[in-house]
Amino acid sequence: MTDTDESRPPAARPMRVDARRNEQALLEAAAAVFVTSGVDAPVRAIAARAGVGMGTIYRHFPTRSELVVAVYRHQVEACADAGPRLLAESATPEAALRAWVALFVEFLVTKHGLAGALQGDSAGSDALHSYFVDRLVPVCGSLLHAALKSVDSAATVDAYNLLKGVGNLCIGAANDANYEADVLVQLLISGALAHEAG
């Protein structure tokens, strides 16, 4: 019996608590550094912000593109998880939608430069885009539906096109300090909610 037990391959162990904490700190630090310095920021800046050594970063993410993809996924998950929480905690469904869209705008800034970091990997970019759509469109849809219902309005746009519109309004914000994407996005939300049921 002992021989049989010893011959079994060891089961994959879950990530240790401290390792998981380090990974979360790294992802949050990398996201913050990417916002201020772009995805080509020095790895040492990310390590310093996370309070870990360079070796820790390379242990978790051997290549820059792996780190960028992990940050992207981490941000998508944070954005997706925020939807139900905001709906439960906000004063109104409209307030929840507006707060979530503001968070989504922040996310769009964080992922700026992703395409460049994954240059030559169109399959990887396509997979990430599908992941993004699959995770965030349903969250936006439930928030939009709740907000429309609360103001007795009919839908004039679906969640996918609303997110596309938000994304298009954010283009150029990085190159023009006077361009207020967040203000324009909130105007878009007002327009999406303003049409009364006929």
Side-chain angles (χ1 to χ4, degrees):
M1 181 119 174
T2 306
D3 291 341
T4 307
D5 289 345
E6 285 176 1
S7 65
R8 279 190 199 138
R13 284 187 290 181
M15 193 182 284
R16 289 186 349 230
V17 173
D18 59 334
R20 191 177 301 115
R21 195 180 309 119
N22 282 346
E23 185 175 84
Q24 291 300 309
L26 277 174
L27 292 172
E28 286 162 21
V33 170
F34 289 168
V35 169
T36 56
S37 307
V39 294
D40 294 321
V43 173
R44 66 181 168 278
I46 297 168
R49 188 175 183 106
V52 300
M54 299 271 287
T56 301
I57 291 185
Y58 290 118
R59 242 189 334 274
H60 287 280
F61 310 106
T63 67
R64 182 176 296 273
S65 65
E66 286 177 88
L67 176 60
V68 172
V69 168
V71 167
Y72 180 89
R73 286 180 171 271
H74 178 67
Q75 295 294 300
V76 168
E77 289 304 318
C79 202
D81 292 344
R85 179 178 50 77
L86 286 168
L87 197 53
E89 295 173 0
S90 299
T92 65
E94 180 179 346
L97 174 64
R98 289 181 182 279
W100 187 81
V101 167
L103 191 67
F104 178 67
V105 169
E106 255 182 70
F107 163 74
L108 292 179
V109 173
T110 301
K111 81 177 187 71
H112 179 69
L114 176 72
L118 298 176
Q119 191 171 13
D121 184 11
S122 60
S125 294
D126 291 347
L128 280 180
H129 178 71
S130 295
Y131 169 73
F132 165 90
V133 169
D134 292 345
R135 287 296 284 133
L136 297 186
V137 169
V139 175
C140 181
S142 63
L143 288 162
L144 179 61
H145 175 75
L148 286 165
K149 189 174 176 184
S150 73
V151 295
D152 194 27
S153 289
T156 56
V157 64
D158 62 20
Y160 177 81
N161 283 295
L162 183 62
L163 290 184
K164 287 287 279 186
V166 170
N168 287 335
L169 286 173
C170 291
I171 293 170
N175 302 322
D176 185 349
N178 296 317
Y179 184 79
E180 298 182 31
D182 51 343
V183 173
L184 295 173
V185 163
Q186 292 301 328
L187 287 172
L188 175 64
I189 299 303
S190 295
L193 298 178
H195 179 75
E196 292 187 5

